[in-house]
Structures are given as C-alpha cells and as structure tokens.
Amino acid sequence: MAAVVMPIHSYTWVFVFTLLFAFLDGYSIGANDVANSFATSVGSRSLTLKQAVCIAFFTEFGGAIALGATTTKTVKDGIIKTYLFDDRPDLLMTGFMCALIASSTWVMTATYLGLPLSTTHSIIGALIGVGISAYGRGAVNWGWQGKGVAQIATSWILAPCLAGILAAIIYTITLFAVLKRRNSLRAGIWAVPFYFTITIFIVSFYVVSRNGRSSFTIDASSIGGGLEVSGNIGLAFGIIGAITGTVLIFSVGFLVPFFIRRLEKEESLKWYHVFCIHCLPEQPHDPKIDLYLKRAFTPQLLNDADKTELGMPVEDDEESKEEQEEREEREWRRCRNPVVRFLGHVKWLLLRTLYIDVATVQHENRGAVRAHEVAILYDNKTEYLYSLLQVVTASFASFSHGSNDVANALGPLAGVFQIWDSGTFTTNASVPYWMLVNAGLAIDVGLALFSPPHFHPDGYNIMRNLGNNITYHSPSRGFSMELGAALSVITASFLALPVSTTQCIVGATVAVGLCNCNWRAINWGMVAIAGFGWVLTLPVAGIAAGLLYALLTRGPSFTLPSGMEVG
C-alpha cells in the first residue's frame, strides 16, 4: 500500500508537545548522560562542578552546532518497522510523542534516584513499547541481526567488561611505569608527553571519524564483519597528525618545564604561566602546595584519625564556597532594595549547586566508606599530573557526545516535524539548526540545574554516585577510567557492537577499583543499583510509552466508531 500523504500542519498540538518533551529529554540527557562524562573528573577534584558545567556548555553545545549531524534516523537503529504506519502518519506522530514523554520521564526519575543509565536505550525501549502497542510483537526487531533487542541486552554485559579490561590495562601500566617508581614525580613528568600524545590521538581520531558531518568513516557492516573505510583518508589523517604533533611539541616544550618548576621546585605558578614558562622569571616558593594537594586528593570518607595520620587537617578555618554562598544569600535577604534582593535570591537559588564539592558530599553508606579506607594512595604531586589529562579526556568525550549522539536523540522530534511540515515520512529526516540549538541548550541546562538541593536535600545524583560512591577516585584512576571507557566506545562503534557510554564508565570504574587487589575497594551495592537501572530501562520506558499510546489512540473520542449512531 502506498504511503498516505497527510495535510501539512495537521495535529499542531502533537508537534508542540513533542517539542516540549524533546527539550525535557535533552535536559535529562544532560542530567544523566553528560554527568557520566564528568563524574570521574569532578569526583577526583580535577575539576569543580562549576568548571565541569562551564566546559560542558561549550563542548556539548559546540559539538552539536559545529559537527552535529544534519540528518538523523528517526527510529534509532530501525528497532521498529515504521512501514506499518504508512497509511496512518498521524498515529506515527502520536507514537513518537509518546516515546519522548515516556523516555524523558523515566530518565528524569532515574536521575532523581541516582541511577546511571543509557538514555539511548531509554528512547529505544519507549519506541519498542509504541510498536507493540500499535501492531503487536511483530512490529519489533527482537533478534540479533540489524541491531535488535538481543544485541541491546548483550551490551549490559559486553560494555562494562570491555571497558573494564581496557581501563585496567591502562591503570596497571601507569601503576608500574609511574606511580610505584622510586622517583614517581620525575617519571610522571616525563611520561606526560607520551600520555598526552596518545590521548589526543585517540580522541581526535574518534571526533574526526565519528562526528555527524565527517566524510571519513570506519564501520563494520555487522558484528564480526570486515571494516569498511570510506571518505578522504589522507585529509582525515592529516588533520589527526597535525593535532597530535602540535600537542606533542607543546607537551615537551611547555608542560614538562612547567611541571618541573611547579611541582619539583614548588614555585608559585598559575595555570596560564605554562604558555610563557620560558620567559617567566623565578617565582616565590609556594608553602601551601602540599596542603592543597592533601586536601584535594585525600579520600573524603576517611575518618578523622586517618586524615590526621596522612597530615591532613580535620578542621578547616577557611570559609568554604558553600558557606560563602550562604553568607551572600543572607546579605541579599537583608538588602532593602526589593529588586536587588529578588535578583540575588534567584541567583543564589539557581547557582548554589554549582559550588557543591561533589567529592565531599557523598552518601556515606558502609560500602563507600570501606572502599575509601582500603584504597592505596600514591604521591599527591604525581597524581596532580593526571588532572589535566582528565580534563582533556572528559572534554573530548563531551564534545564527541554533542557531535554524534545529540542528533540521534532528536530522531523522534525530527520525525514528527517532518510529518507535520510535509505530510510524509521517511526513515532519514533533516535536522534544522534550531533543533541542534534546542538540544544543546537543554543538555547544558540539565547538567547545571538538576542537583539534589533543588528537589531533595538528601537525594542522590549521578556525579555523586559515579564520582566516588563506587570506589575512590584519584586523577590517575579517573584518567584510566575515562580513557578506557572512551577506547571501548570507539572500538565498539567501529565493530558494530552495541554499547552504552554509561555502562562503559561504570565497568571501567569497577575494574580500576579492583586494581587495589581488594574486593572491598568496590561499593558493590552501588554497582548493583546501576545494573538494576540498566535492566529496568527497556521495560519501564516501553510499558509507559505503550500504555500512553494505547490511551491516546484507543480511548473514547468525539468521532463515533463505525456502526454507532446518534440516538
């Protein structure tokens, strides 16, 4: 049967509701998915929450606008058979709307509960529910071929195992090549160019080959199939080589002398001095550098006796950022000018969570405390070297997320807009720039604003759980976790293996924690909660979307069914 062409701009209310819940879906992606990218960096204190949000604003939004896909599949991986809706495009519009409502609602609920899950699997589960509700089980691809449901279920085990193996290898190499050396600081300083070069090569290779507009691609037609390379290979590797070479020269010529003066000679240097390190005269000695590093990298769940033994003061006389924010808020309340008082209160309400120290605000359950107590600690100055590497890996992961995954999340919205604007439907829909802007802003707002103090003062959040509640995070551990997760995502995408970034980072976190050679270094209760969220995602999102679709399409209406007459 030929596809039915629907009058354009029909069912505008469906388009409006879909647009609103697409923004909410992007908001939930920022609160859950993007938080995963920065959880290890914030948990190890390589970045503050405020710095992570600022970086994510540019990387996510910039990735979506600059390199986001201009076309996207309206149904992720063809999980349902859309040709069944050829004669009823209005029902397909409703189905996409229901899928976004169910998916965004479940992800928001999971984020509120602190469950790290795959937002992609959530929208897939919702579409499965719509397909079953509309045309039964036959409307869904349940098998292994064509990236069906069987592959998604396999990823629950495959993704964390693959990431865990890679992260453990990276951390083990770091352990014996740097951290356990007699002069670990000098070994770490000269290892920086190697780590930076390898890291930049990996992330630039991924961004160049996997962004939404690249003509250079490497893919496998199916799992186990041969790799297919297409596009301008010379141009692609020219860009990758130029980026990698520049970073290598910068690392050897600027980073190494900067770290020697900052950490070995303990000069009082700021981060921006790295660019003028060769013409900068000798700076005064920094007497507080050891105390600063102890405060930053000592496990935050240790008891007072353990902190005293490590030389870390239990009481801190300096005013914390949280105390400073509360003091400023009290001053605004006392201000007589009502406009200033109102604006000050709004600023405090919206931005107060950006000053939370996620590393200290942990849910102190027994498993997390035990994991921190058995963690093996290494030289703080050596750990400090990996902070910048963590920032780089987290930033590029966020940028690639914005360039590659944001457009996929816009699939249902693009499908509804296509039907509403043209009256027809195709599996590949154009993505206008306003959609990319909408998604980028929604993700940034979600990461910045969805924090427990706005909703529940004692609640979980994703950064808190993945940041330190599974195991103790230090910069060297966090770098290994992030790079292992990134490598697993890259490898899996090239081999057509179905993995989730969230599942990869959890697997990498567990594996690096086990490198302490003590199973108590892992908070297994938190790992179980994360796995529980993965398994729940498909059925919960699917049932919610299916029930909503059935309610909207099969409930009573003002149009009488055939065979009924007005008495």
Side-chain angles (χ1 to χ4, degrees), residues 87-298:
D87 59 338
R88 293 298 304 271
D90 56 328
L91 292 183
L92 186 57
M93 286 180 69
T94 305
F96 283 147
M97 179 186 70
C98 294
L100 275 176
I101 293 174
S103 174
S104 58
T105 303
W106 165 240
V107 176
M108 287 295 294
T109 303
T111 305
Y112 177 78
L113 298 174
L115 296 176
L117 48 81
S118 170
T119 54
T120 302
H121 288 180
S122 180
I123 191 64
I124 288 176
L127 289 170
I128 290 173
V130 169
I132 294 176
S133 181
Y135 293 102
R137 294 180 69 256
V140 179
N141 177 11
W142 298 99
W144 185 267
Q145 298 298 324
K147 298 183 180 179
V149 176
Q151 284 195 22
I152 297 173
T154 303
S155 72
W156 297 336
I157 299 175
L158 176 67
C161 289
L162 178 62
I165 292 172
L166 292 172
I169 291 174
I170 295 169
Y171 185 66
T172 302
I173 293 174
T174 303
L175 203 60
F176 290 98
V178 177
L179 296 176
K180 289 190 173 183
R181 297 285 292 273
R182 178 173 298 179
N183 189 350
S184 61
L185 178 57
R186 176 50 65 100
I189 289 176
W190 286 106
V192 164
F194 170 77
Y195 278 112
F196 253 97
T197 303
I198 295 298
T199 301
I200 293 299
F201 173 79
I202 291 171
V203 294
S204 60
F205 182 78
Y206 180 70
V207 170
V208 169
S209 62
R210 305 302 293 180
N211 74 77
R213 303 183 187 181
S214 176
S215 60
F216 170 68
T217 58
I218 301 177
D219 284 299
S221 56
S222 61
I223 294 179
L227 292 177
E228 299 176 357
V229 182
S230 61
N232 193 331
I233 300 177
L235 176 61
F237 277 95
I239 295 174
I240 296 170
I243 295 174
T244 305
T246 301
V247 169
L248 176 60
I249 295 172
F250 178 78
S251 300
V252 175
F254 292 88
L255 284 179
V256 169
F258 173 81
F259 284 131
I260 290 175
R261 293 179 60 176
R262 174 61 177 148
L263 299 176
E264 286 192 346
K265 299 180 180 180
E266 297 186 346
E267 294 184 29
S268 182
L269 299 176
K270 302 297 184 181
W271 65 268
Y272 48 81
H273 288 149
V274 68
F275 301 103
C276 57
I277 193 66
H278 294 291
C279 57
L280 188 70
E282 183 177 352
Q283 299 296 301
H285 177 263
D286 185 0
K288 295 184 178 180
I289 184 170
D290 287 330
L291 180 60
Y292 164 76
L293 295 176
K294 285 177 181 177
R295 283 174 173 165
F297 301 141
T298 300

Side-chain angles (χ1 to χ4, degrees), residues 239-546:
I239 295 174
I240 296 170
I243 295 174
T244 305
T246 301
V247 169
L248 176 60
I249 295 172
F250 178 78
S251 300
V252 175
F254 292 88
L255 284 179
V256 169
F258 173 81
F259 284 131
I260 290 175
R261 293 179 60 176
R262 174 61 177 148
L263 299 176
E264 286 192 346
K265 299 180 180 180
E266 297 186 346
E267 294 184 29
S268 182
L269 299 176
K270 302 297 184 181
W271 65 268
Y272 48 81
H273 288 149
V274 68
F275 301 103
C276 57
I277 193 66
H278 294 291
C279 57
L280 188 70
E282 183 177 352
Q283 299 296 301
H285 177 263
D286 185 0
K288 295 184 178 180
I289 184 170
D290 287 330
L291 180 60
Y292 164 76
L293 295 176
K294 285 177 181 177
R295 283 174 173 165
F297 301 141
T298 300
Q300 299 303 313
L301 298 188
L302 293 183
N303 56 43
D304 292 348
D306 291 330
K307 290 183 179 181
T308 303
E309 182 180 348
L310 291 169
M312 180 181 178
V314 177
E315 298 294 335
D316 189 355
D317 296 331
E318 296 182 6
E319 184 182 35
S320 66
K321 291 182 178 179
E322 292 90 341
E323 293 172 342
Q324 180 182 354
E325 288 296 303
E326 292 178 0
R327 177 177 54 79
E328 292 178 358
E329 194 271 341
R330 289 194 299 268
E331 292 176 356
W332 285 324
R333 286 179 182 273
R334 291 195 296 265
C335 181
R336 294 185 177 181
N337 190 321
V339 176
V340 175
R341 185 168 64 248
F342 174 76
L343 294 178
H345 182 67
V346 170
K347 176 186 175 183
W348 175 82
L349 183 64
L350 292 178
L351 302 181
R352 60 179 294 204
T353 54
L354 297 183
Y355 296 94
I356 291 177
D357 186 354
V358 177
T360 58
V361 188
Q362 298 295 323
H363 184 70
E364 297 191 20
N365 57 56
R366 185 177 302 175
V369 173
R370 184 175 57 211
H372 283 226
E373 287 175 344
V374 302
I376 301 175
L377 306 182
Y378 298 97
D379 181 65
N380 287 328
K381 289 183 178 179
T382 307
E383 291 282 3
Y384 178 78
L385 295 170
Y386 291 89
S387 296
L388 187 56
L389 285 167
Q390 265 202 287
V391 176
V392 172
T393 51
S395 300
F396 272 92
S398 177
F399 187 83
S400 63
H401 181 272
S403 64
N404 193 50
D405 291 348
V406 167
N408 292 335
L410 289 174
L413 174 60
V416 169
F417 177 73
Q418 182 189 57
I419 297 173
W420 177 81
D421 192 52
S422 65
T424 59
F425 170 77
T426 60
T427 55
N428 289 311
S430 61
V431 180
Y433 270 103
W434 65 264
M435 284 191 191
L436 295 173
V437 173
N438 176 77
L441 288 176
I443 288 172
D444 290 330
V445 172
L447 177 63
L449 298 186
F450 194 89
S451 297
H454 290 307
F455 299 95
H456 191 280
D458 299 317
Y460 292 99
N461 68 15
I462 301 302
M463 278 194 184
R464 187 191 310 190
N465 286 342
L466 290 186
N468 260 319
N469 257 5
I470 292 181
T471 189
Y472 166 63
H473 280 50
S474 66
S476 63
R477 290 176 170 90
F479 164 71
S480 302
M481 295 169 190
E482 290 176 357
L483 189 58
L487 277 173
S488 62
V489 170
I490 295 170
T491 304
S493 63
F494 289 152
L495 300 179
L497 297 174
V499 299
S500 163
T501 305
T502 304
Q503 295 161 2
C504 287
I505 194 63
V506 171
T509 301
V510 172
V512 171
L514 289 176
C515 289
N516 288 286
C517 299
N518 191 328
W519 66 271
R520 291 184 177 87
I522 304 298
N523 180 8
W524 295 105
M526 191 65 248
V527 176
I529 290 174
F532 185 63
W534 303 344
V535 176
L536 278 182
T537 296
L538 281 183
V540 170
I543 291 172

